[in-house]
Each structure stands twice: as C-alpha cells, then as structure tokens.
Amino acid sequence: MTVIAVLAEPPRPGLVLSELAETSPLSESEAAELYAAMLKDVCIAVERSGGDLLVNYRAEDDIPDEFAGDHDSEAEVRSVVADALGGTDDARFEPQVGSTFSARAGNTVSHLLTEEEVHSVAVVRPVAPLLGRTHIDSAAMKLRSTPVVLGPSTEGRVYFSGFLDPIDFTDAYAEPEVETLAEAADDAGHGLDYVPMLPVLETGADLATVVPMLRSRVESERLVPEHTTTFVFEKGLRVESTDGVLELVRD
C-alpha cells in the first residue's frame, strides 16, 4: 500500500496561489477558493485509489503573520477535506515539518519509510486537479519494483513524486523539479520511472491550459474533477482567440 501525502496549506488569500492571482483574472480570494476546490478533488482521487490518504498540513506556527486566519490551520484544512469526503475518518492528518518544501516533503517521506516502515510514499500538492485514481494506482504499481516514480508536468515541475526508498532530499525539489529529483535518485543509486504528464495549476498560463481541457471533458461527457470544474464554470472562465492570440477571459 502506498501512502499518498498531500502537502496542503490552509486556503487563505495571498498565502496560496499568489502568482495565479497576479497573472490571471482571478482575485486572491478567488485563487484561494480554487485552491480549496483542487484540494478537494485531489483528496477524492486519493480516497478512490488504492492508496492511503495522509493530509500533511502546514502548521499555524509556520505561516507568516500577515496570513493569519480566524481559525487554526489544521481546522481549516480538515474542514475542506471533510467537505470533500463527507468526513475525515478515512484520512490521516499530520503537520508538516521543515523550513522549505524539500525539507517538508523529505521529512514526511523519510519518516514514513524508515520509522513507520510503510512500503512506499508519494508526495502530491493540491495543484493537479486532473490527477485521478488511475494515475495514482498506476504509479503505485510502478513503485512495487522501481524506487522512484515521477509524474512530470510543464516547465520542469512534478505533480507526483513517489519513493520506495529514501533519497537525499536536500534541495531535491529545486527547479526544474523533475530533473533535480532525477539527479537525486541517480545519486542514491535508485532506478527511476515515470507516469504520464499532467498539467499543474499555479499561474495564469497554467489556468489557460487547464480550462479548455475541463470544458472539453464536459462537452464530451468525460470524467472531470467535480469541484475544480464547478469553479471554472461558476466563474465563467474560458479561453478565446482574439486576432489569433489565445486569452483567458471571463463571461
């Protein structure tokens, strides 16, 4: 069984997807709303897969004062997950530990593999709304025999990183993530495999990539991430061509 660690932050304006708010028609509050929607969809995908869901939330003490919320970070994240899954009985919650994403991911993976002796661990972030059960299960199958499995995305990013054995996580997620993680796997003498590429959603350009994909899936009556797709349609987001230039617009 693979433990899927979703490294999540409380969906607070300015704290999450700040670059998306700066480079798209969305406000900071709307970007935070979208983050919560994607977190729900990712947790649903994990819950429907053969993996075990671990929600690794960012602790309140680790959040800058300017992003302080009315409620504790864990309570906010739990509320989002509960809304998605109809409760939290099937999810485990643990605080993130570390000053950087590489450190936080590394601490989670290393602890689970060495201290709890789980078979394999994967790290995902709630910015890959098209991540589905089949992607997770396919990666888990590869992890039965391959020490490191990566899910590549655009611009050298990854949406999934799975480990059968630890690596040196120091700066392992430095950009470009997919190359840096591959180098770390090679340095550890580990074999590496991949699952198909999927888009992540962190910038306006990413949103312009994902929106037509979601609308296309709705048009063809294919499976879609419910909460993210609902957000896109409620906000009237679409991509249109103006004088041959594709632009993200709102109705």
Side-chain angles (χ1 to χ4, degrees):
M1 188 74 73
T2 299
V3 175
I4 311 296
V6 180
L7 270 66
E9 303 191 54
R12 298 174 184 171
L15 176 64
V16 297
L17 299 181
S18 58
E19 188 175 354
L20 176 62
E22 294 171 357
T23 57
S24 78
L26 300 182
S27 66
E28 287 187 344
S29 294
E30 289 171 327
E33 184 182 347
L34 175 56
Y35 182 91
M38 291 192 292
L39 174 57
K40 291 178 183 180
D41 286 329
V42 167
C43 287
I44 289 171
V46 176
E47 194 267 343
R48 290 175 176 170
S49 75
D52 289 333
L53 174 61
L54 166 61
V55 181
N56 220 192
Y57 62 89
R58 190 170 176 183
E60 191 67 41
D61 291 345
D62 190 42
I63 297 175
D65 292 341
E66 62 264 34
F67 301 120
D70 296 331
H71 303 285
D72 179 75
S73 172
E74 180 182 358
E76 287 186 44
V77 173
R78 277 184 177 272
S79 177
V80 174
V81 176
D83 187 50
L85 304 182
T88 58
D89 291 345
D90 294 329
R92 173 180 171 184
F93 291 79
E94 296 288 347
Q96 299 175 16
V97 178
S99 58
T100 65
F101 183 83
S102 291
R104 292 191 285 269
N107 285 331
T108 295
V109 172
S110 298
H111 172 78
L112 289 168
L113 289 177
T114 60
E115 300 297 326
E116 299 192 17
E117 298 182 343
V118 303
H119 174 266
S120 54
V121 182
V123 172
V124 301
R125 283 172 283 194
V127 292
L130 290 171
L131 175 67
R133 173 187 60 80
T134 55
H135 301 107
I136 296 169
D137 288 343
S138 174
M141 286 289 291
K142 291 177 180 290
L143 281 168
R144 292 184 179 182
S145 57
T146 305
V148 179
V149 175
L150 301 179
S153 187
T154 56
E155 298 182 355
R157 292 170 290 183
V158 297
Y159 67 87
F160 181 101
S161 46
F163 305 92
L164 188 62
D165 295 303
I167 62 172
D168 181 358
F169 282 96
T170 305
D171 299 324
Y173 288 86
E175 298 177 347
E177 293 174 337
V178 68
E179 184 176 350
T180 307
L181 284 163
E183 291 174 352
D186 184 65
D187 289 344
H190 294 336
L192 174 66
D193 203 349
Y194 300 88
V195 286
M197 178 179 285
L198 286 177
V200 295
L201 208 170
E202 298 176 303
T203 69
D206 296 336
L207 185 58
T209 296
V210 171
V211 165
M213 297 175 70
L214 295 178
R215 286 186 169 275
S216 172
R217 284 173 172 265
V218 170
E219 185 69 24
S220 60
E221 298 182 350
R222 299 290 297 277
L223 186 66
V224 295
E226 175 187 354
H227 298 281
T228 305
T229 304
T230 298
F231 176 91
V232 166
F233 277 80
E234 286 183 346
K235 302 303 180 185
L237 296 172
R238 64 175 63 251
V239 172
E240 294 183 349
S241 176
T242 303
D243 296 328
V245 178
L246 293 177
E247 293 182 326
L248 181 69
V249 300
R250 303 180 74 160
D251 292 339

